[in-house]
Each structure stands twice: as C-alpha cells, then as structure tokens.
Amino acid sequence: MISRFVLRRLASLIPTVFGIVLVVFFLGRALPGDPALTLAGPEATRNQVELIRQRWGLDEPLTVQMVSYMRNLAMGDLGVSMQTGRPVLEEIANRLPNSLKLTLAAMVFAVVGGTLAGVLAAQRPYSVWDGFTMVASLVFLSIPVFWLSIVLVLIFSVRLGWLPVIGMESWKNFILPSIAMATGSLGMIARITRTSMLEVLGEDFVRTARAKGLAERTVIYKHALKNAVIPIITVIGLQFGILLGGSVLTETIFSWPGIGKFLFDAILARDYAVLQGGILVYAVCISLLNLLVDVSYALIDPRIRYS
C-alpha cells in the first residue's frame, strides 16, 4: 500500500513542478531591468548589448522562449548560466550539498533543543521553566533571521573574535549561520512538543505505566514521547523546507557557497536560467521531503494505513 501511495505522490509532482516552472518563468521576466544590459556593463555599445540579447535568445517572443525552455527541461537541460557560462545543473550540483549541510546542522540544533525544551516544559506545566520556555520560544519565532545573523556576527566575530564570518573551511563556520537559521524552528518545535506531550501525558496508558512503578524517565521518553511524535515530525518536515528555502538570506550574509547565495546573485544579475533551475530544485527537494515525512508516519505508528 505504501508503494502505491509513494507512486501517486511522485506522479502528483509532475503538475506541481510544471506549475512552479511556469510561475517562476513569467515572474522572472517581470523583474525590472535588462539582463543583457547587466551582463554587458555600463560601457557597452548598443550593438554589443544586442549581440548578447541574441546570444541568449532574449530577443525572441516570450512564448518562444518558454517553449524552448520547456523542451530543454523535458530533456533534463536546465540551461546555461549567463554569469558563469556553465550549465545550471552543474552549478547547482556543486552548491546544493553545501546548502543541505548547513540546513541539516540547523535542523539538528532546532530538533534537539526544541524537543528537549518542549518535553521539560510539559513535565512541569505552568511552572517557571514552562513559562520561560514559552516566552523564549515566542521570542525566537519573532526574531528576523537577517537581524539575528548580523547581531551574531557583530558579537562573536567582530567584538570577541571567536568565530569566523565567511567560508566553510571548518566546523566553526557552521555555528553562527546554523544558529541564526535554527532559532525560529527551535521555538516552533518546542511549542508543538509541549502541546503534544501535554495531551499524551493525560492518557490512560501513561497513568497505567506510572501505576506499574516505571521510572518517570521511561514513562516520558519511551511511552509518552513515542506517542506524541507524529505532530512533531510534521512540524520538523515543514521547518526543514522553510529553512532550506530561507537559506538565501543566511547564505548571503555569511557568504556561504550554497544554492541560496547563488540564487541571490542570479536575481541581481537577472540570470533567468539559474533563477528557474534553482527554484525548481528547491521545489523538488521540499516535495520529496514532505513525501518522506508522510511515509514515516506509517513506520512510526503501525495503526496508520495508506489504503
């Protein structure tokens, strides 16, 4: 049954991706500015600009450009970057692992910190720790990523000199950007974990486990958390997609060599092929991640059936 469900979901990706490609194609062309002028530079003559326009097919009608792009996309060709002159697929393949590494580091920080804080808050509802956790999670959710990134750089790099600002040469380079990315997700996971755990802790099977004399740690982490994990996993899956999509700001501030910074540069240069290819890859990654989360439900809770 799961295999059928997976096949149906994979089939539904085709119209989803097609719609995203169309929207990105037309929105990209709606951006102000001429990519040929940007690429030629301020000293270029009119003939040079026109040659660049012909070279990249920008002088063709919009419908012709769209049909040409779709035909190439169907053959697995995402085009060539106007900035680097290299295939977009190759550029993305070089940068996507860097973005995934940073997103995974942020997710580990958010999942471990958020789950632990939420469980401890649920164990002592309406206590000082519970109130502190809820206020802190709300603050984390409210802080803009770009503002927190700049503050972290000013304190830990400029003032104290403890951590590097740019590059990804060592594990120290991961600390500041992953913390900046993870704080909002940590707050969300902490709140969802607390709510889900409070519901489960009131169930009969938890009271039975305590009546049997099981240690409180066993009751909480083996019985209660296992049954409260479904909504937590849903939030984790959503937050992973949000972090991956939101990596544009963080990667730009920390000069991280990932797909987010590549997309930001593509927007400034009106590099249509990179813009379309990058967002297409983001959409596929997030869709596959959501599918993985849905499938994991049946593995965690055998009562769930995909019939």
PDB file of all heavy atoms in Angstrom, residues 2 8 15 21 65 67 70 75-76 83 104 117-118 132 139 146 149 176 182 184 196 198 202 231 236 255 268 299 307:
ATOM      1  N   ILE A   2       1.984   1.186   0.766  1.00  0.00           N
ATOM      2  CA  ILE A   2       2.855   2.362   0.808  1.00  0.00           C
ATOM      3  C   ILE A   2       3.457   2.635  -0.561  1.00  0.00           C
ATOM      4  O   ILE A   2       3.581   3.786  -0.972  1.00  0.00           O
ATOM      5  CB  ILE A   2       3.960   2.154   1.872  1.00  0.00           C
ATOM      6  CG1 ILE A   2       3.354   2.226   3.263  1.00  0.00           C
ATOM      7  CG2 ILE A   2       5.037   3.214   1.742  1.00  0.00           C
ATOM      8  CD1 ILE A   2       4.371   2.121   4.366  1.00  0.00           C
ATOM      9  N   ARG A   8       1.742   7.452  -6.301  1.00  0.00           N
ATOM     10  CA  ARG A   8       0.735   8.508  -6.537  1.00  0.00           C
ATOM     11  C   ARG A   8       1.313   9.881  -6.216  1.00  0.00           C
ATOM     12  O   ARG A   8       1.116  10.855  -6.952  1.00  0.00           O
ATOM     13  CB  ARG A   8      -0.505   8.260  -5.676  1.00  0.00           C
ATOM     14  CG  ARG A   8      -1.466   7.222  -6.243  1.00  0.00           C
ATOM     15  CD  ARG A   8      -2.871   7.406  -5.677  1.00  0.00           C
ATOM     16  NE  ARG A   8      -2.888   7.447  -4.223  1.00  0.00           N
ATOM     17  CZ  ARG A   8      -3.020   6.381  -3.449  1.00  0.00           C
ATOM     18  NH1 ARG A   8      -3.136   5.192  -3.995  1.00  0.00           N
ATOM     19  NH2 ARG A   8      -3.036   6.492  -2.142  1.00  0.00           N
ATOM     20  N   PRO A  15       2.547  17.740 -12.298  1.00  0.00           N
ATOM     21  CA  PRO A  15       1.828  19.014 -12.485  1.00  0.00           C
ATOM     22  C   PRO A  15       2.282  20.110 -11.522  1.00  0.00           C
ATOM     23  O   PRO A  15       2.279  21.291 -11.865  1.00  0.00           O
ATOM     24  CB  PRO A  15       0.364  18.636 -12.248  1.00  0.00           C
ATOM     25  CG  PRO A  15       0.404  17.367 -11.490  1.00  0.00           C
ATOM     26  CD  PRO A  15       1.636  16.654 -11.906  1.00  0.00           C
ATOM     27  N   VAL A  21       7.313  25.912 -12.500  1.00  0.00           N
ATOM     28  CA  VAL A  21       8.189  26.380 -13.579  1.00  0.00           C
ATOM     29  C   VAL A  21       7.532  27.526 -14.347  1.00  0.00           C
ATOM     30  O   VAL A  21       8.174  28.539 -14.659  1.00  0.00           O
ATOM     31  CB  VAL A  21       8.512  25.205 -14.530  1.00  0.00           C
ATOM     32  CG1 VAL A  21       9.173  25.712 -15.796  1.00  0.00           C
ATOM     33  CG2 VAL A  21       9.430  24.215 -13.838  1.00  0.00           C
ATOM     34  N   GLN A  65      10.451  31.685 -26.066  1.00  0.00           N
ATOM     35  CA  GLN A  65      11.417  31.394 -25.001  1.00  0.00           C
ATOM     36  C   GLN A  65      10.889  30.314 -24.065  1.00  0.00           C
ATOM     37  O   GLN A  65      11.623  29.412 -23.655  1.00  0.00           O
ATOM     38  CB  GLN A  65      11.701  32.665 -24.202  1.00  0.00           C
ATOM     39  CG  GLN A  65      12.435  33.748 -24.972  1.00  0.00           C
ATOM     40  CD  GLN A  65      12.727  34.957 -24.088  1.00  0.00           C
ATOM     41  OE1 GLN A  65      13.124  34.820 -22.936  1.00  0.00           O
ATOM     42  NE2 GLN A  65      12.536  36.150 -24.631  1.00  0.00           N
ATOM     43  N   VAL A  67       8.563  27.903 -24.674  1.00  0.00           N
ATOM     44  CA  VAL A  67       8.519  26.594 -25.329  1.00  0.00           C
ATOM     45  C   VAL A  67       9.921  26.002 -25.423  1.00  0.00           C
ATOM     46  O   VAL A  67      10.128  24.805 -25.168  1.00  0.00           O
ATOM     47  CB  VAL A  67       7.876  26.730 -26.734  1.00  0.00           C
ATOM     48  CG1 VAL A  67       8.036  25.424 -27.508  1.00  0.00           C
ATOM     49  CG2 VAL A  67       6.414  27.102 -26.607  1.00  0.00           C
ATOM     50  N   MET A  70      10.923  24.778 -21.929  1.00  0.00           N
ATOM     51  CA  MET A  70      10.216  23.552 -21.550  1.00  0.00           C
ATOM     52  C   MET A  70      10.761  22.348 -22.310  1.00  0.00           C
ATOM     53  O   MET A  70      10.876  21.253 -21.756  1.00  0.00           O
ATOM     54  CB  MET A  70       8.706  23.714 -21.835  1.00  0.00           C
ATOM     55  CG  MET A  70       8.005  24.669 -20.904  1.00  0.00           C
ATOM     56  SD  MET A  70       8.031  24.060 -19.200  1.00  0.00           S
ATOM     57  CE  MET A  70       7.053  25.316 -18.374  1.00  0.00           C
ATOM     58  N   MET A  75      14.229  17.334 -21.450  1.00  0.00           N
ATOM     59  CA  MET A  75      15.400  16.502 -21.738  1.00  0.00           C
ATOM     60  C   MET A  75      16.453  16.593 -20.628  1.00  0.00           C
ATOM     61  O   MET A  75      17.592  16.131 -20.779  1.00  0.00           O
ATOM     62  CB  MET A  75      16.016  16.916 -23.079  1.00  0.00           C
ATOM     63  CG  MET A  75      15.089  16.618 -24.261  1.00  0.00           C
ATOM     64  SD  MET A  75      15.853  16.952 -25.861  1.00  0.00           S
ATOM     65  CE  MET A  75      15.961  18.734 -25.831  1.00  0.00           C
ATOM     66  N   GLY A  76      16.065  17.256 -19.501  1.00  0.00           N
ATOM     67  CA  GLY A  76      16.986  17.338 -18.365  1.00  0.00           C
ATOM     68  C   GLY A  76      18.002  18.450 -18.465  1.00  0.00           C
ATOM     69  O   GLY A  76      18.982  18.468 -17.715  1.00  0.00           O
ATOM     70  N   GLN A  83      25.907  34.227 -15.946  1.00  0.00           N
ATOM     71  CA  GLN A  83      27.001  34.779 -15.142  1.00  0.00           C
ATOM     72  C   GLN A  83      28.298  34.001 -15.332  1.00  0.00           C
ATOM     73  O   GLN A  83      29.368  34.590 -15.463  1.00  0.00           O
ATOM     74  CB  GLN A  83      26.638  34.725 -13.655  1.00  0.00           C
ATOM     75  CG  GLN A  83      25.385  35.472 -13.278  1.00  0.00           C
ATOM     76  CD  GLN A  83      25.020  35.203 -11.833  1.00  0.00           C
ATOM     77  OE1 GLN A  83      25.536  35.836 -10.925  1.00  0.00           O
ATOM     78  NE2 GLN A  83      24.130  34.253 -11.609  1.00  0.00           N
ATOM     79  N   LEU A 104      20.965  20.945   7.471  1.00  0.00           N
ATOM     80  CA  LEU A 104      20.963  19.815   8.400  1.00  0.00           C
ATOM     81  C   LEU A 104      21.544  20.210   9.757  1.00  0.00           C
ATOM     82  O   LEU A 104      21.023  19.811  10.806  1.00  0.00           O
ATOM     83  CB  LEU A 104      21.772  18.656   7.810  1.00  0.00           C
ATOM     84  CG  LEU A 104      21.052  17.813   6.766  1.00  0.00           C
ATOM     85  CD1 LEU A 104      22.012  16.805   6.134  1.00  0.00           C
ATOM     86  CD2 LEU A 104      19.865  17.084   7.375  1.00  0.00           C
ATOM     87  N   ALA A 117      13.403  21.059  25.198  1.00  0.00           N
ATOM     88  CA  ALA A 117      12.742  22.158  25.918  1.00  0.00           C
ATOM     89  C   ALA A 117      11.239  21.908  26.035  1.00  0.00           C
ATOM     90  O   ALA A 117      10.631  22.154  27.089  1.00  0.00           O
ATOM     91  CB  ALA A 117      13.005  23.485  25.190  1.00  0.00           C
ATOM     92  N   GLY A 118      10.622  21.398  24.964  1.00  0.00           N
ATOM     93  CA  GLY A 118       9.178  21.128  24.997  1.00  0.00           C
ATOM     94  C   GLY A 118       8.816  20.016  25.971  1.00  0.00           C
ATOM     95  O   GLY A 118       7.815  20.111  26.693  1.00  0.00           O
ATOM     96  N   PHE A 132       9.134  30.254  31.099  1.00  0.00           N
ATOM     97  CA  PHE A 132      10.351  30.730  30.431  1.00  0.00           C
ATOM     98  C   PHE A 132      10.473  30.133  29.027  1.00  0.00           C
ATOM     99  O   PHE A 132      10.815  30.829  28.060  1.00  0.00           O
ATOM    100  CB  PHE A 132      11.572  30.348  31.279  1.00  0.00           C
ATOM    101  CG  PHE A 132      12.884  30.594  30.594  1.00  0.00           C
ATOM    102  CD1 PHE A 132      13.402  31.880  30.498  1.00  0.00           C
ATOM    103  CD2 PHE A 132      13.587  29.548  30.017  1.00  0.00           C
ATOM    104  CE1 PHE A 132      14.609  32.112  29.843  1.00  0.00           C
ATOM    105  CE2 PHE A 132      14.794  29.764  29.367  1.00  0.00           C
ATOM    106  CZ  PHE A 132      15.294  31.055  29.284  1.00  0.00           C
ATOM    107  N   VAL A 139       9.883  34.540  21.484  1.00  0.00           N
ATOM    108  CA  VAL A 139      10.926  35.491  21.074  1.00  0.00           C
ATOM    109  C   VAL A 139      11.699  34.943  19.878  1.00  0.00           C
ATOM    110  O   VAL A 139      11.963  35.644  18.895  1.00  0.00           O
ATOM    111  CB  VAL A 139      11.881  35.775  22.251  1.00  0.00           C
ATOM    112  CG1 VAL A 139      13.086  36.592  21.780  1.00  0.00           C
ATOM    113  CG2 VAL A 139      11.149  36.510  23.362  1.00  0.00           C
ATOM    114  N   PHE A 146      17.733  37.749   9.341  1.00  0.00           N
ATOM    115  CA  PHE A 146      18.818  38.640   8.909  1.00  0.00           C
ATOM    116  C   PHE A 146      19.325  39.491  10.067  1.00  0.00           C
ATOM    117  O   PHE A 146      20.533  39.738  10.197  1.00  0.00           O
ATOM    118  CB  PHE A 146      18.352  39.533   7.751  1.00  0.00           C
ATOM    119  CG  PHE A 146      17.356  40.576   8.128  1.00  0.00           C
ATOM    120  CD1 PHE A 146      17.776  41.845   8.509  1.00  0.00           C
ATOM    121  CD2 PHE A 146      15.999  40.307   8.117  1.00  0.00           C
ATOM    122  CE1 PHE A 146      16.861  42.825   8.871  1.00  0.00           C
ATOM    123  CE2 PHE A 146      15.079  41.267   8.473  1.00  0.00           C
ATOM    124  CZ  PHE A 146      15.505  42.526   8.851  1.00  0.00           C
ATOM    125  N   SER A 149      21.382  37.280  12.376  1.00  0.00           N
ATOM    126  CA  SER A 149      22.669  36.962  11.741  1.00  0.00           C
ATOM    127  C   SER A 149      23.663  38.097  11.928  1.00  0.00           C
ATOM    128  O   SER A 149      24.828  37.873  12.286  1.00  0.00           O
ATOM    129  CB  SER A 149      22.462  36.698  10.244  1.00  0.00           C
ATOM    130  OG  SER A 149      21.586  35.626  10.041  1.00  0.00           O
ATOM    131  N   LEU A 176      27.599  29.974  13.611  1.00  0.00           N
ATOM    132  CA  LEU A 176      26.778  31.188  13.541  1.00  0.00           C
ATOM    133  C   LEU A 176      25.629  31.076  12.542  1.00  0.00           C
ATOM    134  O   LEU A 176      24.479  31.375  12.896  1.00  0.00           O
ATOM    135  CB  LEU A 176      27.667  32.398  13.227  1.00  0.00           C
ATOM    136  CG  LEU A 176      28.670  32.806  14.319  1.00  0.00           C
ATOM    137  CD1 LEU A 176      29.411  34.076  13.907  1.00  0.00           C
ATOM    138  CD2 LEU A 176      27.975  33.011  15.649  1.00  0.00           C
ATOM    139  N   ALA A 182      18.297  28.406  12.851  1.00  0.00           N
ATOM    140  CA  ALA A 182      17.546  27.422  13.646  1.00  0.00           C
ATOM    141  C   ALA A 182      16.640  28.028  14.703  1.00  0.00           C
ATOM    142  O   ALA A 182      15.727  27.347  15.174  1.00  0.00           O
ATOM    143  CB  ALA A 182      18.535  26.466  14.317  1.00  0.00           C
ATOM    144  N   GLY A 184      14.138  30.172  14.948  1.00  0.00           N
ATOM    145  CA  GLY A 184      12.689  30.165  14.713  1.00  0.00           C
ATOM    146  C   GLY A 184      12.130  28.758  14.750  1.00  0.00           C
ATOM    147  O   GLY A 184      11.077  28.506  15.371  1.00  0.00           O
ATOM    148  N   SER A 196       1.763  18.665  22.361  1.00  0.00           N
ATOM    149  CA  SER A 196       1.524  17.255  22.069  1.00  0.00           C
ATOM    150  C   SER A 196       1.789  16.377  23.298  1.00  0.00           C
ATOM    151  O   SER A 196       1.038  15.444  23.578  1.00  0.00           O
ATOM    152  CB  SER A 196       2.418  16.827  20.904  1.00  0.00           C
ATOM    153  OG  SER A 196       2.150  15.510  20.521  1.00  0.00           O
ATOM    154  N   LEU A 198       1.592  17.315  26.478  1.00  0.00           N
ATOM    155  CA  LEU A 198       0.550  17.543  27.486  1.00  0.00           C
ATOM    156  C   LEU A 198      -0.680  16.695  27.201  1.00  0.00           C
ATOM    157  O   LEU A 198      -1.323  16.167  28.118  1.00  0.00           O
ATOM    158  CB  LEU A 198       0.178  19.033  27.519  1.00  0.00           C
ATOM    159  CG  LEU A 198       1.149  19.957  28.255  1.00  0.00           C
ATOM    160  CD1 LEU A 198       0.690  21.414  28.145  1.00  0.00           C
ATOM    161  CD2 LEU A 198       1.262  19.550  29.727  1.00  0.00           C
ATOM    162  N   GLY A 202      -1.875  12.954  29.614  1.00  0.00           N
ATOM    163  CA  GLY A 202      -3.165  12.766  30.277  1.00  0.00           C
ATOM    164  C   GLY A 202      -3.861  11.481  29.875  1.00  0.00           C
ATOM    165  O   GLY A 202      -4.969  11.199  30.342  1.00  0.00           O
ATOM    166  N   PRO A 231       2.785  14.771  15.414  1.00  0.00           N
ATOM    167  CA  PRO A 231       2.756  16.211  15.088  1.00  0.00           C
ATOM    168  C   PRO A 231       4.132  16.862  15.114  1.00  0.00           C
ATOM    169  O   PRO A 231       4.390  17.813  14.368  1.00  0.00           O
ATOM    170  CB  PRO A 231       1.842  16.808  16.162  1.00  0.00           C
ATOM    171  CG  PRO A 231       1.793  15.804  17.251  1.00  0.00           C
ATOM    172  CD  PRO A 231       1.976  14.468  16.618  1.00  0.00           C
ATOM    173  N   ILE A 236       8.673  19.234  11.989  1.00  0.00           N
ATOM    174  CA  ILE A 236      10.088  19.145  11.594  1.00  0.00           C
ATOM    175  C   ILE A 236      10.201  19.134  10.070  1.00  0.00           C
ATOM    176  O   ILE A 236      11.054  19.808   9.487  1.00  0.00           O
ATOM    177  CB  ILE A 236      10.732  17.885  12.209  1.00  0.00           C
ATOM    178  CG1 ILE A 236      10.884  18.063  13.720  1.00  0.00           C
ATOM    179  CG2 ILE A 236      12.089  17.610  11.574  1.00  0.00           C
ATOM    180  CD1 ILE A 236      11.356  16.815  14.443  1.00  0.00           C
ATOM    181  N   SER A 255      28.225  34.739   3.273  1.00  0.00           N
ATOM    182  CA  SER A 255      28.942  34.356   2.040  1.00  0.00           C
ATOM    183  C   SER A 255      29.122  32.843   1.946  1.00  0.00           C
ATOM    184  O   SER A 255      30.204  32.347   1.626  1.00  0.00           O
ATOM    185  CB  SER A 255      30.313  35.046   1.979  1.00  0.00           C
ATOM    186  OG  SER A 255      30.164  36.423   1.802  1.00  0.00           O
ATOM    187  N   LEU A 268      19.978  39.398  -8.806  1.00  0.00           N
ATOM    188  CA  LEU A 268      20.602  40.697  -9.080  1.00  0.00           C
ATOM    189  C   LEU A 268      21.039  40.814 -10.543  1.00  0.00           C
ATOM    190  O   LEU A 268      20.948  41.879 -11.151  1.00  0.00           O
ATOM    191  CB  LEU A 268      21.818  40.895  -8.165  1.00  0.00           C
ATOM    192  CG  LEU A 268      21.529  41.016  -6.667  1.00  0.00           C
ATOM    193  CD1 LEU A 268      22.830  41.208  -5.903  1.00  0.00           C
ATOM    194  CD2 LEU A 268      20.565  42.157  -6.380  1.00  0.00           C
ATOM    195  N   LEU A 299       5.643   4.177   9.483  1.00  0.00           N
ATOM    196  CA  LEU A 299       6.739   3.443  10.113  1.00  0.00           C
ATOM    197  C   LEU A 299       6.752   3.666  11.619  1.00  0.00           C
ATOM    198  O   LEU A 299       7.083   2.755  12.395  1.00  0.00           O
ATOM    199  CB  LEU A 299       8.082   3.891   9.506  1.00  0.00           C
ATOM    200  CG  LEU A 299       8.227   3.667   7.993  1.00  0.00           C
ATOM    201  CD1 LEU A 299       9.562   4.212   7.508  1.00  0.00           C
ATOM    202  CD2 LEU A 299       8.119   2.179   7.663  1.00  0.00           C
ATOM    203  N   SER A 307      -4.405   3.198   2.685  1.00  0.00           N
ATOM    204  CA  SER A 307      -5.266   2.419   1.798  1.00  0.00           C
ATOM    205  C   SER A 307      -6.121   3.355   0.957  1.00  0.00           C
ATOM    206  O   SER A 307      -6.287   4.511   1.289  1.00  0.00           O
ATOM    207  CB  SER A 307      -6.158   1.506   2.613  1.00  0.00           C
ATOM    208  OG  SER A 307      -6.921   2.262   3.529  1.00  0.00           O
TER     209      SER A 307
END
